[in-house]
Amino acid sequence: MSQPDSLPVIDLSAPDREALHRAARDVGFFQLVGHGVTAAEQARLLATARAFFALPEADRHAVDNLNSPHFRGYTRIGNEHTQGRRDWRDQLDISNELPAHVPAPGEPPYWWLEGPNQWPAALPALREVSLEWMARLGAVAHRLLHELLAAVGGPADFYDDAFSGHPRTHLKLVRYPGRAPEGDDQGVGVHKDYGFLTLLLTDEVPGLQVETPHGQGFIDVPHLPGAFVVNLGELLEVATNGYLKATNHRVVSPPGSRERFSAPFFYNPRLDARIAPLPFPGAADARGVTQDPDNPLFAEFGWNELKGWVRAHPAVVRRHHPELTVA
C-alpha cells in the first residue's frame, strides 16, 4: 500500500462522513475547512500570540509556569520535555478560567490541573482574545466530534455527558525560535495528544510532521490557509478500542533563526470523566489500544492528562508536587 504524501481535507460545512471515517480510522489527522472561523479571527489570535512573545523577557517571566501549581503560564525555551529530551520552543499555556481545585484527602491529584491562568499585565488584551478563541473553537470541536462519532456509526451525542460541567479545554500559544544553538532540530519531539481532539492553527512556516499510517516515516504537513490541522488523541483510541488512531507527530524547528508560531487547541472532557466504549458497527474490527509500557493509557481522562504534564514539566513538579509521579 502506498503512503500518503498529504493529509485528507474535510469540509465541516458539508461533511462527507465516509471521507471523515477514513481519515480518522486510517490517518488520525486531517485538514479542516468550512468551520466558520474567519481569517480575521485567526489573524487576531496569531497577532496576539506574536505580541506576547515580543514582550520584554521580564514581562514573560512574570507569568512563568513555575509560579503555578496548575501548570499554567509561560514556559521558557528548552524547559519543556518530550520523551525526556528538551523541546526548542517557548509557549504560554491557558486553560479554563476556574478557581483552584486543591485535591482534598482521597481526591485524585489530577485536580491540580484545574485552576486560574496567569495573564501578563503588559498585554491585557491577551485574556479576552484567548478566552474568546477557546469558546469559539470549543463550539467547532463539539460539532466535529458529533460528526465524527456519527461517521463511524455511533451515537453522535454519546460523550456529551463527559463534556458537561467543566470540560478540559486548553490553548497553547507557541513560538519556535529556529534551531537550537547546537543544531538540534527538535522543536517538539514525537508524541501523541492526551485527549479527544486537537485543532491546530499555524502560520505559513513549515515544521509539523505526521507519522505515516504504517510507521514508515514522517510526512510534512503543508500550510493550508484558513484550515485547522486536526488530530485525534489517545482517548478516542481508548474509546474505540484502537479502531480510531491517535497518531505520532512532531515539529522540526525552522532553520536558522526563522520563527514559527502556532496555536493548538485541545478539546477534552472533564478531568473525572470515565470514557465508556463507543458502541459502533466497526467495534468487532478494532485492533485494540496501542500497548506501550512507557505510555499507559487511562480511561479516566484526568490520569491521562496528568501523566503528560508531569513528564513534560519536571521543574513544576519539583517545585509544587514533589510527591507526584505517574506511571
Side-chain angles (χ1 to χ4, degrees):
M1 182 181 295
S2 63
Q3 298 290 347
D5 57 6
S6 62
L7 299 185
V9 178
I10 301 297
D11 186 345
L12 191 58
S13 68
D16 178 338
R17 286 184 173 173
E18 184 177 344
L20 179 56
H21 186 166
R22 287 196 306 270
R25 180 193 63 201
D26 299 339
V27 185
F29 265 82
F30 51 89
Q31 302 262 25
L32 187 71
V33 299
H35 42 68
V37 180
T38 67
E41 290 174 294
Q42 294 180 342
R44 181 183 183 221
L45 183 78
L46 287 177
T48 304
R50 290 188 180 96
F52 171 76
F53 291 108
L55 290 175
E57 191 175 75
D59 290 320
R60 284 178 282 130
H61 290 175
V63 293
D64 197 304
N65 73 342
L66 288 174
N67 302 330
S68 171
H70 315 292
F71 297 86
R72 308 290 178 82
Y74 176 65
T75 302
R76 307 179 192 207
I77 296 171
N79 276 15
E80 186 177 44
H81 294 74
T82 301
Q83 303 215 5
R85 294 177 57 208
R86 68 175 185 175
D87 296 324
W88 198 249
R89 64 178 184 173
D90 55 349
Q91 63 188 29
L92 184 70
D93 282 296
I94 302 163
S95 293
N96 315 57
E97 186 67 42
L98 294 168
H101 187 157
V102 177
E107 281 194 314
Y110 58 64
W111 286 116
W112 278 113
L113 297 174
E114 198 167 89
N117 295 295
Q118 297 190 80
W119 302 107
L123 187 62
L126 179 65
R127 177 187 173 114
E128 177 186 356
V129 171
S130 299
L131 295 181
E132 285 183 1
W133 182 261
M134 291 172 66
R136 190 83 166 90
L137 262 64
V140 173
H142 175 78
R143 182 180 173 198
L144 176 59
L145 180 60
H146 276 216
E147 288 291 344
L148 176 58
L149 298 182
V152 300
D157 61 354
F158 188 73
Y159 292 115
D160 281 6
D161 180 66
F163 282 84
S164 64
H166 297 302
R168 169 74 174 175
T169 56
H170 190 91
L171 171 67
K172 284 181 183 284
L173 303 180
V174 185
R175 179 178 72 110
Y176 297 91
R179 292 284 157 89
E182 61 271 27
D184 185 352
D185 68 357
Q186 177 170 308
V188 61
V190 176
H191 67 286
K192 300 176 182 179
D193 292 343
Y194 317 138
F196 265 64
L197 292 171
T198 303
L199 280 68
L200 173 68
L201 177 67
T202 71
D203 63 11
E204 70 285 352
V205 178
L208 177 63
Q209 297 183 335
V210 173
E211 190 172 42
T212 58
H214 301 287
Q216 296 176 354
F218 286 79
I219 61 170
D220 294 314
V221 177
H223 177 66
L224 181 61
F228 293 111
V229 180
V230 175
N231 66 282
L232 280 56
E234 292 172 336
L235 272 192
L236 273 174
E237 184 171 318
V238 170
T240 59
N241 195 30
Y243 184 82
L244 299 181
K245 283 178 65 76
T247 300
N248 279 320
H249 52 288
R250 66 188 182 190
V251 174
V252 175
S253 295
S257 58
R258 188 181 189 190
E259 291 183 321
R260 177 181 186 268
F261 294 89
S262 69
F265 170 80
F266 304 93
Y267 182 66
N268 295 321
R270 291 190 322 275
L271 290 170
D272 63 347
R274 291 193 63 83
I275 305 307
L278 178 72
F280 67 104
D285 300 323
R287 59 195 160 211
V289 173
T290 302
Q291 297 300 315
D292 181 352
D294 294 325
N295 185 38
L297 302 183
F298 304 97
E300 189 170 347
F301 173 63
W303 291 111
N304 235 31
E305 178 93 337
L306 183 64
K307 170 192 67 178
W309 286 98
V310 166
R311 290 178 173 182
H313 295 278
V316 175
V317 174
R318 286 193 297 270
R319 174 171 290 192
H320 297 285
H321 310 292
E323 77 294 345
L324 200 55
T325 59
V326 177

